Amino acid sequence: MSRQRWHSVKDIRIADVARLAGVSTATVSRVLSDPDKVRQKTCDLVMEAVRRSGYTPDRTAQNLRTRRTMNVLVVAPRLTNPVFAQVLRGVDDELTRCGYGIIVGNLDNQREREPRYVALALSRQIDGVLLLTGHVPQDGDRNMKEAGLPIVAMCAAIDDPSIPNVVVQDREAARQAVEYLVRLGHRRFGYISGTPTSIIEVERYAGFVEGVAAGGFSQRDIVRWEGAFVFATGVAAAEAFLRLKKRPTGVFAACDESAIGFVKTVQAAGIRIPQDVSVIGFDGIEVSDYIEPPLTTFRQPMYDMGRAGAQILLNMMQGEAATGIPNVRMPLRLLERGTTSVAPSRARGLKVVA
Amino acid sequence: MSRQRWHSVKDIRIADVARLAGVSTATVSRVLSDPDKVRQKTCDLVMEAVRRSGYTPDRTAQNLRTRRTMNVLVVAPRLTNPVFAQVLRGVDDELTRCGYGIIVGNLDNQREREPRYVALALSRQIDGVLLLTGHVPQDGDRNMKEAGLPIVAMCAAIDDPSIPNVVVQDREAARQAVEYLVRLGHRRFGYISGTPTSIIEVERYAGFVEGVAAGGFSQRDIVRWEGAFVFATGVAAAEAFLRLKKRPTGVFAACDESAIGFVKTVQAAGIRIPQDVSVIGFDGIEVSDYIEPPLTTFRQPMYDMGRAGAQILLNMMQGEAATGIPNVRMPLRLLERGTTSVAPSRARGLKVVA
DNA sequence: CGACTTTTTGTAATCGATTACATCTTGAGG
DNA sequence: CCTCAAGATGTAATCGATTACAAAAAGTCG
């Protein structure tokens, strides 16, 4: 045995079942897909043959004939982001119920990986796409939309009116974050960015700036550290923070991971949280509750977003009448936990107005 | 437009390209798959036609003809386990390089979800399977092996000599964990289990018991809390722990998530870690370093395990000569961090022998 | 019982590629 | 210039299901 052959030992086709049951392949097919069209007696006969032979239809052949694959592609910016896992759970629960499979696409924060998924769409290996990426994957001049497949954007809105979005109120939340800090007496604000080209980043920063302005402060009261939606960005921001003479006392991070990176790093340098610096994150991933002190953050309904996005996609794939492009905005909740408190200069004599 | 139709606007088949280039479909196919068999001039002609028409081969049709789908199923016990995300990264990097796609199967700790993935295998929608589940998925009397596909087990060994395993030295590590605790002077040991039926759980507990015995202690010095590989198990174990009169001072958890659950819960009850209780986890997930104090734990090379498993599967799928069943055991590293210290009764006067 | 409708079943085309085999080109060598 | 082998291309079968259409069977009713 030099070359191991990997195929099913018993390789039973629909024709075999038909012969076994003494009917035509058409009848077998009908029994399996639409039994009402077949007489009960024949149905039993065929089912018996199916059972005895252990026949399972070849989905590859079905796919070709029916022009569907019952597979959906989910493209994520990075697999190890806990937000992704939660959203994927919701997506999986919804799609699995309807018989769809999930193919994961991992960009790992590298745009060079996009072409592969464009090709997947173009080659008709999938019936629909869920994007968590904030933009439509491209391959040179071609992009995924050209495949003509239904696409739904989740988590990160896409600036394309033809694509339904399931997103949170990024801008409003960021604005609220600052307002919360202002109420606590902070006067100098730090912002830890996500990937600058990402739309959610743009939105969150816009909201942040709005909040600062609404509080009566100006651009000069802001320090902004650029990065990506990763832990390391928080670490880098913290290092920059520590080098400052005039440090912000209220910091908002565009995601929990970088918020945690920031907290851990400044703590290691002897900064006390929240006494010296208040930090607000964004996402509400599980870990944010495990650090010390637990992170004040906005909780996204990740699982529900996954389900909502999947439902919209299912509707589109089933060719439902498109009654406008759905644009779902999910609610956010500020989890007031341990990383925020009144600004240090006013720690005495001031009350927190929650 | 009552029913939106979702298919490619321009629907170009190989015959169209052939006509455009003035050749037969066979030639087009050859140019695309094995250009050396075609004259350079013809090749250029065809490629030009492909470019102009924007043709992409229909993978569904290719699949049927070639009897391969270039898709691999990865079955995970639970999506939100960070170990899974890391392993999946490794798997993805390896498989993507070879043109394979990944279909994720999420059992969400429920065996009822297995039949769906058995069906996937039986219906020839995939070319191979990576199991992180510790057992072969079943559907009544049928199981996934019947599909005759190459299967590789990762993270959790499978008790089936025909299936290659990529695992860590669970038993040895668990044993070392206890030995470490013994060296620190602990005399009473707690064990937080994973899913009892899981083989890695069995292995880790066996190693734990071995270590206890090797230290000169007996079964009576052990407290065992049963559960699953989840955070909540650690919480439950902690609650049981707090009710004990005679508490263990050295606790080993079969996974980091439950270790963290335990640490957080006992801390909330006023127990000091590591002064009152030492805790050792298993996995080395990112979060384990973010809690306070950082968790002492064994780090699994998750990404590398993913790659190794994928490579073995690739070999099997490419029909390489099977030179025995590979059984890779990856190294583990004990990360001595903050949750372990000398046993409380001996805190004075004893030195840590590391 | 026969005419006609309805239901059930079978035949064969089809989905879109790959590939065995046949046929036609090309070029080398005499 | 002719012969023959090697190389290039075309024809048509094939993968395994679904399904339009035709044909046959079963039922209905006067």
Side-chain angles (χ1 to χ4, degrees), chain B residues 24 26-27 30 38-39 42 65 67:
Chain B
S24 74
T27 300
R30 277 188 282 255
V38 178
R39 209 171 31 164
T42 322
R65 182 59 225 233
R67 324 269 308 112

PDB file of all heavy atoms in Angstrom, chain B residues 24 26-27 30 38-39 42 65 67, chain D residues 8-16:
ATOM      1  N   SER B  24     -11.339  24.729 -28.086  1.00  0.00           N
ATOM      2  CA  SER B  24     -12.323  23.874 -27.431  1.00  0.00           C
ATOM      3  C   SER B  24     -12.265  24.059 -25.917  1.00  0.00           C
ATOM      4  O   SER B  24     -11.286  24.583 -25.382  1.00  0.00           O
ATOM      5  CB  SER B  24     -12.052  22.414 -27.768  1.00  0.00           C
ATOM      6  OG  SER B  24     -10.919  21.973 -27.057  1.00  0.00           O
ATOM      7  N   ALA B  26     -11.830  21.838 -23.822  1.00  0.00           N
ATOM      8  CA  ALA B  26     -10.739  21.030 -23.283  1.00  0.00           C
ATOM      9  C   ALA B  26      -9.459  21.865 -23.192  1.00  0.00           C
ATOM     10  O   ALA B  26      -8.731  21.819 -22.201  1.00  0.00           O
ATOM     11  CB  ALA B  26     -10.517  19.807 -24.149  1.00  0.00           C
ATOM     12  N   THR B  27      -9.222  22.632 -24.223  1.00  0.00           N
ATOM     13  CA  THR B  27      -8.006  23.447 -24.238  1.00  0.00           C
ATOM     14  C   THR B  27      -8.051  24.512 -23.144  1.00  0.00           C
ATOM     15  O   THR B  27      -7.062  24.749 -22.438  1.00  0.00           O
ATOM     16  CB  THR B  27      -7.835  24.105 -25.617  1.00  0.00           C
ATOM     17  OG1 THR B  27      -7.744  23.074 -26.593  1.00  0.00           O
ATOM     18  CG2 THR B  27      -6.598  24.958 -25.650  1.00  0.00           C
ATOM     19  N   ARG B  30      -7.282  22.927 -19.960  1.00  0.00           N
ATOM     20  CA  ARG B  30      -5.863  22.602 -19.833  1.00  0.00           C
ATOM     21  C   ARG B  30      -5.033  23.838 -19.536  1.00  0.00           C
ATOM     22  O   ARG B  30      -4.126  23.806 -18.700  1.00  0.00           O
ATOM     23  CB  ARG B  30      -5.373  21.923 -21.103  1.00  0.00           C
ATOM     24  CG  ARG B  30      -5.684  20.434 -21.120  1.00  0.00           C
ATOM     25  CD  ARG B  30      -5.026  19.739 -22.277  1.00  0.00           C
ATOM     26  NE  ARG B  30      -5.750  19.962 -23.521  1.00  0.00           N
ATOM     27  CZ  ARG B  30      -6.513  19.047 -24.117  1.00  0.00           C
ATOM     28  NH1 ARG B  30      -6.641  17.849 -23.585  1.00  0.00           N
ATOM     29  NH2 ARG B  30      -7.132  19.318 -25.242  1.00  0.00           N
ATOM     30  N   VAL B  38      -0.069  22.927 -23.280  1.00  0.00           N
ATOM     31  CA  VAL B  38      -0.649  23.730 -24.349  1.00  0.00           C
ATOM     32  C   VAL B  38       0.434  24.625 -24.950  1.00  0.00           C
ATOM     33  O   VAL B  38       1.311  25.110 -24.246  1.00  0.00           O
ATOM     34  CB  VAL B  38      -1.791  24.594 -23.788  1.00  0.00           C
ATOM     35  CG1 VAL B  38      -2.374  25.482 -24.859  1.00  0.00           C
ATOM     36  CG2 VAL B  38      -2.853  23.704 -23.170  1.00  0.00           C
ATOM     37  N   ARG B  39       0.356  24.825 -26.263  1.00  0.00           N
ATOM     38  CA  ARG B  39       1.326  25.688 -26.937  1.00  0.00           C
ATOM     39  C   ARG B  39       1.237  27.105 -26.369  1.00  0.00           C
ATOM     40  O   ARG B  39       0.145  27.608 -26.095  1.00  0.00           O
ATOM     41  CB  ARG B  39       1.025  25.697 -28.431  1.00  0.00           C
ATOM     42  CG  ARG B  39       2.263  25.921 -29.269  1.00  0.00           C
ATOM     43  CD  ARG B  39       1.972  25.711 -30.701  1.00  0.00           C
ATOM     44  NE  ARG B  39       0.561  26.079 -30.966  1.00  0.00           N
ATOM     45  CZ  ARG B  39       0.091  26.289 -32.185  1.00  0.00           C
ATOM     46  NH1 ARG B  39       0.899  26.167 -33.221  1.00  0.00           N
ATOM     47  NH2 ARG B  39      -1.165  26.579 -32.377  1.00  0.00           N
ATOM     48  N   THR B  42      -1.354  29.472 -27.990  1.00  0.00           N
ATOM     49  CA  THR B  42      -2.735  29.154 -27.626  1.00  0.00           C
ATOM     50  C   THR B  42      -3.002  29.583 -26.190  1.00  0.00           C
ATOM     51  O   THR B  42      -4.058  30.133 -25.867  1.00  0.00           O
ATOM     52  CB  THR B  42      -2.986  27.639 -27.735  1.00  0.00           C
ATOM     53  OG1 THR B  42      -2.284  27.138 -28.865  1.00  0.00           O
ATOM     54  CG2 THR B  42      -4.453  27.345 -27.830  1.00  0.00           C
ATOM     55  N   ARG B  65     -16.615  16.774 -10.785  1.00  0.00           N
ATOM     56  CA  ARG B  65     -15.787  16.012 -11.703  1.00  0.00           C
ATOM     57  C   ARG B  65     -14.533  15.444 -11.024  1.00  0.00           C
ATOM     58  O   ARG B  65     -14.159  14.302 -11.229  1.00  0.00           O
ATOM     59  CB  ARG B  65     -15.389  16.919 -12.872  1.00  0.00           C
ATOM     60  CG  ARG B  65     -14.569  16.276 -13.948  1.00  0.00           C
ATOM     61  CD  ARG B  65     -15.303  15.100 -14.551  1.00  0.00           C
ATOM     62  NE  ARG B  65     -14.370  13.997 -14.660  1.00  0.00           N
ATOM     63  CZ  ARG B  65     -14.131  13.319 -15.774  1.00  0.00           C
ATOM     64  NH1 ARG B  65     -14.818  13.580 -16.856  1.00  0.00           N
ATOM     65  NH2 ARG B  65     -13.249  12.380 -15.797  1.00  0.00           N
ATOM     66  N   ARG B  67     -14.029  14.998  -7.828  1.00  0.00           N
ATOM     67  CA  ARG B  67     -14.318  14.297  -6.573  1.00  0.00           C
ATOM     68  C   ARG B  67     -13.533  14.860  -5.395  1.00  0.00           C
ATOM     69  O   ARG B  67     -13.066  14.111  -4.547  1.00  0.00           O
ATOM     70  CB  ARG B  67     -14.044  12.779  -6.693  1.00  0.00           C
ATOM     71  CG  ARG B  67     -14.361  12.169  -7.995  1.00  0.00           C
ATOM     72  CD  ARG B  67     -15.757  11.590  -8.169  1.00  0.00           C
ATOM     73  NE  ARG B  67     -16.221  10.676  -7.175  1.00  0.00           N
ATOM     74  CZ  ARG B  67     -17.221  10.993  -6.341  1.00  0.00           C
ATOM     75  NH1 ARG B  67     -17.763  12.186  -6.364  1.00  0.00           N
ATOM     76  NH2 ARG B  67     -17.650  10.111  -5.488  1.00  0.00           N
TER      77      ARG B  67
ATOM     78  P    DA D   8       3.255  20.861 -27.109  1.00  0.00           P
ATOM     79  OP1  DA D   8       3.896  22.196 -27.071  1.00  0.00           O
ATOM     80  OP2  DA D   8       3.019  20.087 -25.882  1.00  0.00           O
ATOM     81  O5'  DA D   8       1.887  21.011 -27.897  1.00  0.00           O
ATOM     82  C5'  DA D   8       1.893  21.636 -29.182  1.00  0.00           C
ATOM     83  C4'  DA D   8       0.494  21.587 -29.745  1.00  0.00           C
ATOM     84  O4'  DA D   8       0.127  20.216 -29.967  1.00  0.00           O
ATOM     85  C3'  DA D   8      -0.587  22.194 -28.852  1.00  0.00           C
ATOM     86  O3'  DA D   8      -1.250  23.168 -29.625  1.00  0.00           O
ATOM     87  C2'  DA D   8      -1.486  21.021 -28.483  1.00  0.00           C
ATOM     88  C1'  DA D   8      -1.209  20.024 -29.590  1.00  0.00           C
ATOM     89  N9   DA D   8      -1.297  18.611 -29.229  1.00  0.00           N
ATOM     90  C8   DA D   8      -0.604  17.964 -28.249  1.00  0.00           C
ATOM     91  N7   DA D   8      -0.861  16.672 -28.177  1.00  0.00           N
ATOM     92  C5   DA D   8      -1.789  16.462 -29.178  1.00  0.00           C
ATOM     93  C6   DA D   8      -2.468  15.308 -29.617  1.00  0.00           C
ATOM     94  N6   DA D   8      -2.291  14.098 -29.079  1.00  0.00           N
ATOM     95  N1   DA D   8      -3.323  15.439 -30.638  1.00  0.00           N
ATOM     96  C2   DA D   8      -3.508  16.655 -31.189  1.00  0.00           C
ATOM     97  N3   DA D   8      -2.917  17.817 -30.856  1.00  0.00           N
ATOM     98  C4   DA D   8      -2.076  17.648 -29.837  1.00  0.00           C
ATOM     99  P    DT D   9      -2.425  24.008 -28.995  1.00  0.00           P
ATOM    100  OP1  DT D   9      -2.541  25.255 -29.782  1.00  0.00           O
ATOM    101  OP2  DT D   9      -2.264  24.044 -27.536  1.00  0.00           O
ATOM    102  O5'  DT D   9      -3.660  23.098 -29.335  1.00  0.00           O
ATOM    103  C5'  DT D   9      -4.187  23.111 -30.664  1.00  0.00           C
ATOM    104  C4'  DT D   9      -5.305  22.129 -30.774  1.00  0.00           C
ATOM    105  O4'  DT D   9      -4.887  20.846 -30.268  1.00  0.00           O
ATOM    106  C3'  DT D   9      -6.561  22.478 -29.978  1.00  0.00           C
ATOM    107  O3'  DT D   9      -7.523  22.943 -30.898  1.00  0.00           O
ATOM    108  C2'  DT D   9      -6.972  21.166 -29.293  1.00  0.00           C
ATOM    109  C1'  DT D   9      -6.051  20.138 -29.941  1.00  0.00           C
ATOM    110  N1   DT D   9      -5.635  18.990 -29.100  1.00  0.00           N
ATOM    111  C2   DT D   9      -6.097  17.736 -29.405  1.00  0.00           C
ATOM    112  O2   DT D   9      -6.853  17.510 -30.331  1.00  0.00           O
ATOM    113  N3   DT D   9      -5.648  16.734 -28.590  1.00  0.00           N
ATOM    114  C4   DT D   9      -4.789  16.852 -27.512  1.00  0.00           C
ATOM    115  O4   DT D   9      -4.447  15.882 -26.865  1.00  0.00           O
ATOM    116  C5   DT D   9      -4.337  18.196 -27.242  1.00  0.00           C
ATOM    117  C7   DT D   9      -3.400  18.444 -26.096  1.00  0.00           C
ATOM    118  C6   DT D   9      -4.776  19.201 -28.031  1.00  0.00           C
ATOM    119  P    DG D  10      -8.996  23.302 -30.390  1.00  0.00           P
ATOM    120  OP1  DG D  10      -9.519  24.346 -31.308  1.00  0.00           O
ATOM    121  OP2  DG D  10      -8.967  23.548 -28.936  1.00  0.00           O
ATOM    122  O5'  DG D  10      -9.781  21.956 -30.683  1.00  0.00           O
ATOM    123  C5'  DG D  10      -9.690  21.375 -31.986  1.00  0.00           C
ATOM    124  C4'  DG D  10     -10.513  20.108 -32.051  1.00  0.00           C
ATOM    125  O4'  DG D  10      -9.863  19.081 -31.266  1.00  0.00           O
ATOM    126  C3'  DG D  10     -11.938  20.247 -31.497  1.00  0.00           C
ATOM    127  O3'  DG D  10     -12.822  19.542 -32.365  1.00  0.00           O
ATOM    128  C2'  DG D  10     -11.846  19.583 -30.120  1.00  0.00           C
ATOM    129  C1'  DG D  10     -10.784  18.511 -30.355  1.00  0.00           C
ATOM    130  N9   DG D  10     -10.022  18.129 -29.179  1.00  0.00           N
ATOM    131  C8   DG D  10      -9.290  18.958 -28.360  1.00  0.00           C
ATOM    132  N7   DG D  10      -8.680  18.324 -27.393  1.00  0.00           N
ATOM    133  C5   DG D  10      -9.034  16.991 -27.584  1.00  0.00           C
ATOM    134  C6   DG D  10      -8.670  15.848 -26.837  1.00  0.00           C
ATOM    135  O6   DG D  10      -7.936  15.773 -25.843  1.00  0.00           O
ATOM    136  N1   DG D  10      -9.241  14.692 -27.365  1.00  0.00           N
ATOM    137  C2   DG D  10     -10.062  14.656 -28.467  1.00  0.00           C
ATOM    138  N2   DG D  10     -10.521  13.465 -28.826  1.00  0.00           N
ATOM    139  N3   DG D  10     -10.403  15.728 -29.183  1.00  0.00           N
ATOM    140  C4   DG D  10      -9.850  16.859 -28.673  1.00  0.00           C
ATOM    141  P    DT D  11     -14.399  19.627 -32.102  1.00  0.00           P
ATOM    142  OP1  DT D  11     -15.019  19.903 -33.400  1.00  0.00           O
ATOM    143  OP2  DT D  11     -14.660  20.512 -30.943  1.00  0.00           O
ATOM    144  O5'  DT D  11     -14.758  18.150 -31.662  1.00  0.00           O
ATOM    145  C5'  DT D  11     -14.090  17.045 -32.255  1.00  0.00           C
ATOM    146  C4'  DT D  11     -14.660  15.753 -31.705  1.00  0.00           C
ATOM    147  O4'  DT D  11     -13.903  15.348 -30.549  1.00  0.00           O
ATOM    148  C3'  DT D  11     -16.121  15.812 -31.249  1.00  0.00           C
ATOM    149  O3'  DT D  11     -16.738  14.579 -31.575  1.00  0.00           O
ATOM    150  C2'  DT D  11     -16.016  16.032 -29.748  1.00  0.00           C
ATOM    151  C1'  DT D  11     -14.757  15.232 -29.414  1.00  0.00           C
ATOM    152  N1   DT D  11     -13.962  15.710 -28.259  1.00  0.00           N
ATOM    153  C2   DT D  11     -13.394  14.780 -27.422  1.00  0.00           C
ATOM    154  O2   DT D  11     -13.503  13.579 -27.567  1.00  0.00           O
ATOM    155  N3   DT D  11     -12.664  15.313 -26.396  1.00  0.00           N
ATOM    156  C4   DT D  11     -12.456  16.664 -26.129  1.00  0.00           C
ATOM    157  O4   DT D  11     -11.775  17.020 -25.173  1.00  0.00           O
ATOM    158  C5   DT D  11     -13.085  17.575 -27.031  1.00  0.00           C
ATOM    159  C7   DT D  11     -12.932  19.059 -26.827  1.00  0.00           C
ATOM    160  C6   DT D  11     -13.807  17.070 -28.054  1.00  0.00           C
ATOM    161  P    DA D  12     -18.315  14.375 -31.336  1.00  0.00           P
ATOM    162  OP1  DA D  12     -18.770  13.415 -32.366  1.00  0.00           O
ATOM    163  OP2  DA D  12     -18.971  15.695 -31.164  1.00  0.00           O
ATOM    164  O5'  DA D  12     -18.311  13.621 -29.937  1.00  0.00           O
ATOM    165  C5'  DA D  12     -17.453  12.485 -29.767  1.00  0.00           C
ATOM    166  C4'  DA D  12     -17.515  12.030 -28.328  1.00  0.00           C
ATOM    167  O4'  DA D  12     -16.716  12.899 -27.491  1.00  0.00           O
ATOM    168  C3'  DA D  12     -18.909  12.034 -27.704  1.00  0.00           C
ATOM    169  O3'  DA D  12     -18.977  10.899 -26.867  1.00  0.00           O
ATOM    170  C2'  DA D  12     -18.939  13.317 -26.899  1.00  0.00           C
ATOM    171  C1'  DA D  12     -17.497  13.304 -26.378  1.00  0.00           C
ATOM    172  N9   DA D  12     -16.995  14.583 -25.902  1.00  0.00           N
ATOM    173  C8   DA D  12     -17.367  15.848 -26.276  1.00  0.00           C
ATOM    174  N7   DA D  12     -16.712  16.796 -25.664  1.00  0.00           N
ATOM    175  C5   DA D  12     -15.851  16.122 -24.823  1.00  0.00           C
ATOM    176  C6   DA D  12     -14.888  16.551 -23.900  1.00  0.00           C
ATOM    177  N6   DA D  12     -14.624  17.824 -23.668  1.00  0.00           N
ATOM    178  N1   DA D  12     -14.187  15.594 -23.233  1.00  0.00           N
ATOM    179  C2   DA D  12     -14.458  14.314 -23.465  1.00  0.00           C
ATOM    180  N3   DA D  12     -15.340  13.790 -24.320  1.00  0.00           N
ATOM    181  C4   DA D  12     -16.007  14.750 -24.962  1.00  0.00           C
ATOM    182  P    DA D  13     -20.379  10.376 -26.320  1.00  0.00           P
ATOM    183  OP1  DA D  13     -20.878   9.364 -27.247  1.00  0.00           O
ATOM    184  OP2  DA D  13     -21.230  11.524 -25.921  1.00  0.00           O
ATOM    185  O5'  DA D  13     -19.873   9.632 -24.998  1.00  0.00           O
ATOM    186  C5'  DA D  13     -18.627   8.949 -25.031  1.00  0.00           C
ATOM    187  C4'  DA D  13     -18.057   8.876 -23.629  1.00  0.00           C
ATOM    188  O4'  DA D  13     -17.495  10.156 -23.262  1.00  0.00           O
ATOM    189  C3'  DA D  13     -19.091   8.545 -22.547  1.00  0.00           C
ATOM    190  O3'  DA D  13     -18.487   7.677 -21.611  1.00  0.00           O
ATOM    191  C2'  DA D  13     -19.428   9.902 -21.959  1.00  0.00           C
ATOM    192  C1'  DA D  13     -18.093  10.632 -22.062  1.00  0.00           C
ATOM    193  N9   DA D  13     -18.193  12.082 -22.178  1.00  0.00           N
ATOM    194  C8   DA D  13     -19.076  12.813 -22.922  1.00  0.00           C
ATOM    195  N7   DA D  13     -18.905  14.112 -22.835  1.00  0.00           N
ATOM    196  C5   DA D  13     -17.836  14.244 -21.967  1.00  0.00           C
ATOM    197  C6   DA D  13     -17.160  15.359 -21.449  1.00  0.00           C
ATOM    198  N6   DA D  13     -17.466  16.618 -21.757  1.00  0.00           N
ATOM    199  N1   DA D  13     -16.125  15.140 -20.605  1.00  0.00           N
ATOM    200  C2   DA D  13     -15.809  13.871 -20.297  1.00  0.00           C
ATOM    201  N3   DA D  13     -16.366  12.737 -20.714  1.00  0.00           N
ATOM    202  C4   DA D  13     -17.387  12.994 -21.559  1.00  0.00           C
ATOM    203  P    DT D  14     -19.353   7.109 -20.426  1.00  0.00           P
ATOM    204  OP1  DT D  14     -18.775   5.794 -20.083  1.00  0.00           O
ATOM    205  OP2  DT D  14     -20.788   7.281 -20.735  1.00  0.00           O
ATOM    206  O5'  DT D  14     -18.986   8.115 -19.241  1.00  0.00           O
ATOM    207  C5'  DT D  14     -17.619   8.285 -18.845  1.00  0.00           C
ATOM    208  C4'  DT D  14     -17.552   9.315 -17.743  1.00  0.00           C
ATOM    209  O4'  DT D  14     -17.679  10.633 -18.313  1.00  0.00           O
ATOM    210  C3'  DT D  14     -18.678   9.194 -16.701  1.00  0.00           C
ATOM    211  O3'  DT D  14     -18.094   8.796 -15.478  1.00  0.00           O
ATOM    212  C2'  DT D  14     -19.288  10.583 -16.619  1.00  0.00           C
ATOM    213  C1'  DT D  14     -18.289  11.453 -17.350  1.00  0.00           C
ATOM    214  N1   DT D  14     -18.863  12.622 -18.081  1.00  0.00           N
ATOM    215  C2   DT D  14     -18.307  13.855 -17.875  1.00  0.00           C
ATOM    216  O2   DT D  14     -17.371  14.051 -17.140  1.00  0.00           O
ATOM    217  N3   DT D  14     -18.896  14.867 -18.593  1.00  0.00           N
ATOM    218  C4   DT D  14     -19.965  14.755 -19.465  1.00  0.00           C
ATOM    219  O4   DT D  14     -20.409  15.741 -20.042  1.00  0.00           O
ATOM    220  C5   DT D  14     -20.494  13.426 -19.621  1.00  0.00           C
ATOM    221  C7   DT D  14     -21.653  13.208 -20.531  1.00  0.00           C
ATOM    222  C6   DT D  14     -19.925  12.427 -18.929  1.00  0.00           C
ATOM    223  P    DC D  15     -19.025   8.082 -14.366  1.00  0.00           P
ATOM    224  OP1  DC D  15     -18.332   6.868 -13.922  1.00  0.00           O
ATOM    225  OP2  DC D  15     -20.415   8.021 -14.851  1.00  0.00           O
ATOM    226  O5'  DC D  15     -18.980   9.161 -13.198  1.00  0.00           O
ATOM    227  C5'  DC D  15     -17.741   9.662 -12.694  1.00  0.00           C
ATOM    228  C4'  DC D  15     -17.989  10.949 -11.952  1.00  0.00           C
ATOM    229  O4'  DC D  15     -18.141  12.006 -12.900  1.00  0.00           O
ATOM    230  C3'  DC D  15     -19.297  10.925 -11.167  1.00  0.00           C
ATOM    231  O3'  DC D  15     -19.014  10.542  -9.829  1.00  0.00           O
ATOM    232  C2'  DC D  15     -19.806  12.355 -11.254  1.00  0.00           C
ATOM    233  C1'  DC D  15     -19.000  12.989 -12.385  1.00  0.00           C
ATOM    234  N1   DC D  15     -19.807  13.507 -13.525  1.00  0.00           N
ATOM    235  C2   DC D  15     -19.581  14.805 -13.995  1.00  0.00           C
ATOM    236  O2   DC D  15     -18.719  15.485 -13.441  1.00  0.00           O
ATOM    237  N3   DC D  15     -20.312  15.271 -15.042  1.00  0.00           N
ATOM    238  C4   DC D  15     -21.233  14.482 -15.611  1.00  0.00           C
ATOM    239  N4   DC D  15     -21.921  14.976 -16.637  1.00  0.00           N
ATOM    240  C5   DC D  15     -21.469  13.159 -15.151  1.00  0.00           C
ATOM    241  C6   DC D  15     -20.749  12.721 -14.116  1.00  0.00           C
ATOM    242  P    DG D  16     -19.921   9.357  -9.186  1.00  0.00           P
ATOM    243  OP1  DG D  16     -19.273   8.955  -7.923  1.00  0.00           O
ATOM    244  OP2  DG D  16     -20.214   8.361 -10.230  1.00  0.00           O
ATOM    245  O5'  DG D  16     -21.286  10.082  -8.833  1.00  0.00           O
ATOM    246  C5'  DG D  16     -21.292  11.068  -7.823  1.00  0.00           C
ATOM    247  C4'  DG D  16     -22.629  11.768  -7.842  1.00  0.00           C
ATOM    248  O4'  DG D  16     -22.813  12.432  -9.101  1.00  0.00           O
ATOM    249  C3'  DG D  16     -23.836  10.847  -7.681  1.00  0.00           C
ATOM    250  O3'  DG D  16     -24.661  11.400  -6.675  1.00  0.00           O
ATOM    251  C2'  DG D  16     -24.508  10.896  -9.040  1.00  0.00           C
ATOM    252  C1'  DG D  16     -24.142  12.288  -9.492  1.00  0.00           C
ATOM    253  N9   DG D  16     -24.203  12.502 -10.932  1.00  0.00           N
ATOM    254  C8   DG D  16     -23.979  11.580 -11.921  1.00  0.00           C
ATOM    255  N7   DG D  16     -24.102  12.071 -13.126  1.00  0.00           N
ATOM    256  C5   DG D  16     -24.420  13.413 -12.912  1.00  0.00           C
ATOM    257  C6   DG D  16     -24.676  14.454 -13.837  1.00  0.00           C
ATOM    258  O6   DG D  16     -24.665  14.399 -15.076  1.00  0.00           O
ATOM    259  N1   DG D  16     -24.953  15.663 -13.211  1.00  0.00           N
ATOM    260  C2   DG D  16     -24.987  15.824 -11.855  1.00  0.00           C
ATOM    261  N2   DG D  16     -25.272  17.055 -11.416  1.00  0.00           N
ATOM    262  N3   DG D  16     -24.753  14.869 -10.967  1.00  0.00           N
ATOM    263  C4   DG D  16     -24.480  13.691 -11.569  1.00  0.00           C
TER     264       DG D  16
END
